Amino acid sequence: MAELLLGESKLEQSLKEQPLRPGASPRGPRPQLTEVRKHLTAALDRGNLKSEFLQESNLIMAKLNYVEGDYKEALNIYARVGLDDLPLTAVPPYRLRMIAEAYATKGLCLEKLPVSSSTSNLHVDREQDVITCYEKAGDIALLYLQEIERVILTNIQNRSPKPGPAPHDQELGFFLETGLQRAHVLYFKNGNLTRGVGRFREILRAVETRTTQNLRMTIARQLAEILLRGMCEQSYWNPLEDPPCQSPLDDPLRKGANTKTYTLTRKARVYSGENIFCPQENTEEALLLLLISESMANRDAVLSRIPEHKSDRLISLQSASVVYDLLTIALGRRGQYEMLSECLERAMKFAFEEFQLWYQFALSLMAAGKLEEAEKFAKTVVDAGEKTSEFKAKGYLALGLTYSLQATDASLRGMQEVLQRKALLAFQRAHSLSPTDHQAAFYLALQLAISRQIPEALGYVRQALQLQGDDANSLHLLALLLSAQKHYHDALNIIDMALSEYPENFILLFSKVKLESLCRGPDEALLTCKHMLQIWKSCYNLTNPSDSGRGSSLLDRTIADRRQLNTITLPDFSDPETVSASSSSSSSLSRTESPLHLFMSPHLRSHPKLDTFVWPPAAHSFRDPGPRQEPSLCNSPEVYFHGFPSLFSVSSVHATSVAASRVEQALSEVASSLQSSAPKQGPLHPWMTLAQIWLHAAEVYIGIGKPAEATACTQEAANLFPMSHNVLYMRGQVAELRGNLDEARRWYEEALSISPTHVKSMQRLALILHQLGRYSLAEKILRDAVQVNSTAHEVWNGLGEVLQAQGNDAAATECFLTALELEASSPAVPFTIIPRVL
C-alpha cells in the first residue's frame, strides 16, 4: 500500500512540476519517472493487494506508460483491468477521478496510435471509440467534481477536525481538462456540429461547481458563437429535445447516430425542475448564454491596477471583451441597443483606457437614443483615441453622429443650427484624420446634405464611392442629392443600380416608389409596391394578426386587379436584422426585433401560415372607416420613409418620437384588452415594413385621385398598426381627397396627439384651418412646425399663405422666398431616411 501511495504521489508531483501540453511529444523514461515505475512495480509484485487497490495500481501504471510514450502498453493494461466494467457507485471521490483520467488517457492513446488498416470503416470506428472515451471521461469528471465539492462542504459544515481542501484549491489537471474539452473539438473537426452542440449542452446542464466556472464560461461563449454564426432557426432544436437524426449542419458524408452510444451506471446531477426556462430558437439560447457569460466575466474581473496583477487583468479583460463583442453582434442585430448599453455600462468598471469597449458603449448609447450620455462618452472616446489617429477618427465619427442626431431631435431652430455646425466640424475632423475611410467621407457628405449644402455634399459622396464603390448608403445619398437638383431620372438610375446589388433593401425601394411617381408615373410606382410585397413574401413567413374573422383584411382575399397580378402568400422570417445592416455592404435587408420576442415568442410560431393577399386592393371590399380606431403596437424610434416614419429604424432617434412610440405602446396594451385578434407573430419589424408598403401604395393612389383604393391600402396598414400616427395621417389625406375637411381635421389632430412633432400632420392641419378661416391657430401650428423642421418648404409656403391672408404681405413674401429657396434643394425624400449608425 505504501509503494502504491509513493508511486502515485511522485507521478503527480512530476506532472505538476512539468505539466503535459496538448500535442507535446512523449517524455520517455526519466529518473523521477523511473522511481515511480519502481514503486508501482513493487506494489503489483507483492500479490497481497485488495482487488480495488490492484486496479488502482494498474490505472496509475497505464497513466505512467502514456506519459513515457508507451501507448500500446497503456491500452493493454486498460484491457486487462476491464476499464468499462469498473463500478461508479459506492466508490470514494478519488476513485472517480482515477477512472475519469483513465478514460481520458485511453482516448489520448487511441488518438496517438495509427489504425492498422486503411479501411474507412475502421477509421470511423476508431474515431467513435476515441470520442466515447472522452465523453465518458468528461461525464465522470463532472460527477467527481460534484462529489468532491459535496464532501468538502459537508466537512466544513460539520467542522471536521480534518477538513478537506478549500473548493478553490481543486485543480482539473491535464487529463480531466482533456476529457471535458476534447470530445466536442473532435465532433466539430469531423463535421458533426449536431453532436458537438449537444455535448456543449450536456456540460452546461450539469450542476455547477467552483472548479468548472471558468470552463463553463468558455463553453457558453463558444456555444453562443456557434449558434449565432453557424445555425439558423430551421436547423435549431431546443436543449430538451432529442437532436435530429439528419441535420443540414452536419457533413453529409458522415455516417453515425446523433445520440450517445453508451450509458453510465452513475451520472452527474443536472439542473431540473418545473417552470425552467427553455430557449426555443438559436437567438434566445445565444443571448441567454452570453448574458450568463457576461455575469461571470463581471464577477471574476480583476480590478486591481498594481503591476503584479497586470497579467491576470489582461487575461480577464480579453475574456470579457470577447463576450461583449458577441453581445454587441447579438443585441445589435436585433436592435436592442438599450439592453446593449446596459451591458456595456457594466463593463466600464474594468475597461479603463480600453478604446474598443468605450467606443461600443458610445455607439450603443447613440443608437438607444441617449444622446446626451452618448455625447459625453463620444468625447471620452476622442480623448482615448489620442494615441492613434485611427482611433481618434472613429471617436470624431461617433461624436459627429451624436451631434447630428441631437440636431434632428432639437425643437428650436437655433439649437439645431448649433448642433449641425458641431456635427459638421466633427465629421470634417474625422475625414482629415482618416481620409481613406469611406464612412468619414460619407457622413460628412450626409451632414452637408442635411444642411442643404448640395454641391459640397456631392463632392464628398463621390469620394466615399471612390473608396467603397458598392456602399448602399453612399449610392442612396448620391441619388437623393441628384433628386435635390431635380435630376430625377438620373437619381432613379442610381437607385436601380443600387438595387441590382441590394435587391432586398426596402429603404432603397421606398425611395424608388417616390422617384417613379415623379418620373414614370403611378403605374410603375404601384408595380414597385407589388414587387416589395413579393420581396416581403420571400423574406418573412408570418401569420397575419388581422385575420381574426372580421373580414376586413386584404390578406385573406383573392381578387384580381386590372393587371391580373397573381396572389402572393405570406411566409415567415426568422432571423431579423437591425436597420443598420442595410447600410453595410454585406447585408441589404433592414431588420430588427422587439426585445420581448426573445423571451415570449414560442407560442406565436404555432399559427398556420395560410394567409394570402392580393395586389392592388379591391376598393369595393371596404367601407370608409370612422374616426375611431383600435390602438396599435408601435414601440421604437423613427426614420422617415417619404415622410412616413418607420418606428423600427435607428437611423434618426428622436426623444419626441420615442415618447410618441411609448404612447402608442400604451394604447396597444389597451387594444389587446379590447380586441380578440391574435397578436402579431414574432418580431414587429416585418409587420411595420408591410404596413409601410401599404402606406406607400396609398400615397400613390392619393396622388392620382383614387380615394377608394387609397382607403383600402390604408385600412390594410391600420389592421396592423391602427393607432400609428402615420396611419392616422394617411386617413386624413384620404378624407381631404374626398373633400371631408372636418373628418380630415380629426384624423390630423389624432395623429398629433400621438406624435406632436409630426410635421406633415401639422402642415396639413394648418392648411385645413386656413381654409376654415382660423388664421391665428394655423399660423401658430405652422410656426411650431418650422421650429421642428426648418427645411420643410411646404410649411414655409403654407405659413406665407396664412400671413398673406392676414394682410402681412412683407412677412409672407419672406416666407415664399424661403420656400422657393428650400424647394430648389429639396430631395425626393428626406435625407434623414438614410441610417446614421456605425
Side-chain angles (χ1 to χ4, degrees), residues 411 413 729 744-753 755-790 792 794-800 802-803 806 815:
S411 58
R413 286 181 60 192
Y729 166 77
R745 175 184 172 184
R746 288 198 302 271
W747 286 123
Y748 294 140
E749 287 174 347
E750 288 194 26
L752 290 172
S753 68
S755 181
T757 59
H758 189 219
V759 173
K760 283 187 171 291
S761 294
M762 299 170 77
Q763 186 252 332
R764 301 306 301 182
L765 177 60
L767 179 61
I768 292 175
L769 292 172
H770 176 211
Q771 295 177 8
L772 296 176
R774 302 188 61 179
Y775 303 127
S776 297
L777 184 55
E779 180 185 353
K780 169 67 169 58
I781 293 174
L782 289 171
R783 291 189 182 277
D784 289 343
V786 166
Q787 291 294 327
V788 174
N789 184 3
S790 60
E794 303 97 334
V795 176
W796 283 103
N797 186 71
L799 181 59
V802 170
L803 291 173
Q806 291 177 305
C815 290

Side-chain angles (χ1 to χ4, degrees), residues 579-594:
V579 161
S580 60
S582 68
S583 63
S584 67
S585 60
S586 61
S587 174
S588 63
L589 183 59
S590 306
R591 308 165 190 166
T592 189
E593 170 177 320
S594 167

